[in-house]
Amino acid sequence: MTPIIIAAGSQSYEALVGSQLLEKAGRLLAPKLSGPDCAIVSDENVAARFAQALLPSLTSVGFKPTLIVIPPGERSKTLGEAEAICNRMSEAGLDRSSFLIALGGGMVGDLTGFVAAIYHRGIPYVQMPTTLLAQVDSSIGGKAAVNIAAGKNLIGAWHQPALVISDTDTLATLPPRERRQGFAEIVKHAIIRDAEMFEMLQHFDGKDLTALVRRNIAIKAAIVAADEREAKGERALLNFGHTVGHAIERAGDLRDFLHGEAVSLGIVAACEISVRKAGLAATERDRILSTLRAFDLPTRLPADFPRAKILDAIRFDKKFERHEVRFVVTSAIGSARLSKDITMEDIAAAVEKL
Ligand SMILES: NC(=O)c1ccc[n+]([C@@H]2O[C@H](COP(=O)([O-])OP(=O)(O)OC[C@H]3O[C@@H](n4cnc5c(N)ncnc54)[C@H](O)[C@@H]3O)[C@@H](O)[C@H]2O)c1
Ligand SMILES: [Zn+2]
């Protein structure tokens, strides 16, 4: 199992992808983290399935893990939950020398990374993603955040994990809808960076997920290495489909759509805008839409969905820096760029069409 190296600025860490890694986690972590005190943060669904495989593996090498279980779902990604986790860590005696493990999907990963960034002014953490979305995307790159009423991920920190362990066996129990949403980020990666993977996705049989996860981690790793803190524009390309996507999530009160489903719709809007303003061929847009449909991802909003709420949410979005829209467009599958020529009217027209 060759690790994928993520060279993020001054830090560099490995992502390990493969089978039966939870059972080996203790041995994989021992050379990287001293502990011995640590806490596993997980949600009810994930802890029930995988904590029993992970705990003995950690104790067998001398770590002393505390299991902290939180309710599942995006609504747990809050400052309140972060504080509750900090309190549990304090009660368990965790200090500056301790570390955290995020065992779960992107919600658990973002929240745990955030807590690790602030607890005692920062302690190390390990990502053990158990959803396809988290394995191909959120576990890599060190963006940690929680949501507040004003928007998603508005309170956060940059905090790179010490190690990422993606056990692809865990994906076997993913509900189909959760599995599908992971493909939205995979299609996004293909559109912005990897035309060859886009072709591959046309006849993907769902079997070799390990190779697919590895390829997507490599794409994200390359982008993060070029622009760790989204300062040069490179990393912003990962936001393709997300300006409208995040707004749809918020307009639906974080309940109507999963992140990946909202991103799928956001990709459709971004493609529409790209056809109008960036020279994307309509045939390429249509291929992207049919690829999303092939993975059972949404490409149309329900007729009665409050589209005005989407536009309101975009106006509040953090990507409106100094009231300027920084919108990611694609001119051809396999490449993307930031555009400053996209107006609110362009976005409104694309949302209207959804
Ligand atoms: N930090 C980043 O760079 C980044 C990138 C993309 C997305 N995100 C964030 O990721 C989150 C979405 O990720 P997600 O969909 O993985 O969220 P999630 O953690 O809510 O997981 C989705 C659901 O799947 C369940 N689950 C997880 N693993 C399972 C398994 N192996 N078997 C059965 N059920 C399982 C969970 O309990 C949950 O109900 C959002 O909060 C989004 O903002 C962050
Ligand atoms: Zn995303």
Side-chain angles (χ1 to χ4, degrees):
M1 183 181 47
T2 326
I4 302 162
I5 311 288
I6 296 109
S10 54
Q11 296 160 59
S12 168
Y13 54 97
E14 295 179 348
L16 306 169
V17 188
S19 184
Q20 294 190 322
L21 296 186
L22 288 188
E23 293 81 352
K24 296 180 195 142
R27 274 194 288 129
L28 298 169
L29 292 184
K32 315 247 177 218
L33 292 147
S34 41
D37 293 317
C38 59
I40 303 166
V41 180
S42 193
D43 72 31
E44 286 154 8
N45 300 332
V46 179
R49 288 178 171 88
F50 305 116
Q52 287 321 311
L54 180 57
L55 283 163
S57 153
L58 296 172
T59 49
S60 72
V61 295
F63 289 129
K64 296 193 172 72
T66 299
L67 181 62
I68 300 175
V69 181
I70 61 172
E74 188 65 24
R75 288 172 164 266
S76 285
K77 218 175 96 172
T78 62
L79 281 170
E81 201 64 60
E83 184 180 9
I85 293 169
C86 289
N87 285 328
R88 292 283 312 278
M89 291 164 69
S90 254
E91 284 158 26
L94 269 72
D95 60 19
R96 275 181 57 200
S97 65
S98 312
F99 67 92
L100 281 177
I101 296 175
L103 176 68
M107 184 282 285
V108 165
D110 280 14
L111 176 63
T112 308
F114 178 67
V115 172
I118 59 173
Y119 191 74
H120 285 248
R121 297 192 185 80
I123 61 170
Y125 75 113
V126 177
Q127 288 278 13
M128 292 195 195
T130 63
T131 64
L132 183 59
L133 184 144
Q135 294 195 352
V136 300
D137 189 355
S138 61
S139 62
I140 308 296
K143 266 193 181 182
V146 295
N147 307 323
I148 55 171
K152 267 192 57 106
N153 300 329
L154 286 185
I155 306 292
W158 297 99
H159 193 34
Q160 301 291 345
L163 183 66
V164 182
I165 299 179
S166 279
D167 186 334
T168 45
D169 295 343
T170 60
L171 303 178
T173 58
L174 260 191
R177 193 176 165 201
E178 301 294 343
R179 183 183 163 100
R180 286 199 291 268
Q181 68 153 337
F183 280 98
E185 305 284 8
I186 292 173
V187 172
K188 175 195 80 179
H189 282 155
I191 296 169
I192 65 171
R193 256 308 159 92
D194 193 343
E196 193 185 289
M197 181 166 80
F198 189 85
E199 292 310 321
M200 224 177 73
L201 289 172
Q202 307 307 309
H203 15 82
F204 182 68
D205 61 4
K207 287 204 183 94
D208 195 359
L209 273 178
T210 298
L212 190 65
V213 169
R214 288 184 63 90
R215 189 166 182 139
N216 279 276
I217 292 177
I219 292 172
K220 185 150 182 191
I223 292 175
V224 168
D227 181 14
E228 186 200 0
R229 297 209 169 184
E230 210 167 311
K232 300 173 199 152
E234 184 83 6
R235 187 162 176 164
L237 303 182
L238 292 167
N239 291 328
F240 183 72
H242 280 60
T243 303
V244 174
H246 275 158
I248 290 174
E249 268 185 287
R250 277 194 58 210
D253 226 6
L254 303 182
R255 238 184 313 232
D256 296 359
F257 295 102
L258 299 177
H259 177 74
E261 292 168 346
V263 166
S264 175
L265 291 160
I267 289 175
V268 175
C271 286
E272 198 52 45
I273 291 168
S274 298
V275 168
R276 286 181 178 218
K277 302 280 280 250
L280 179 71
T283 48
E284 295 245 298
R285 173 201 59 200
D286 295 345
R287 289 191 71 209
I288 292 169
L289 264 62
S290 64
T291 306
L292 292 169
R293 281 190 216 106
F295 288 104
D296 279 326
L297 286 162
T299 54
R300 298 292 305 270
L301 275 172
D304 58 350
F305 193 89
R307 287 165 170 73
K309 273 178 84 179
I310 300 175
L311 299 176
D312 289 344
I314 290 176
R315 289 192 190 96
F316 282 106
D317 192 280
K318 62 186 189 296
K319 276 168 214 81
F320 264 85
E321 279 165 24
R322 284 174 250 102
H323 304 290
E324 194 173 64
V325 197
R326 290 166 76 239
F327 200 92
V328 187
V329 293
T330 176
S331 302
I333 292 168
S335 70
R337 65 180 167 81
L338 261 180
S339 169
K340 288 187 177 171
D341 305 331
I342 310 304
T343 62
M344 215 38 222
E345 290 68 41
D346 295 324
I347 298 175
V351 166
E352 208 46 57
K353 239 189 118 175
L354 268 180

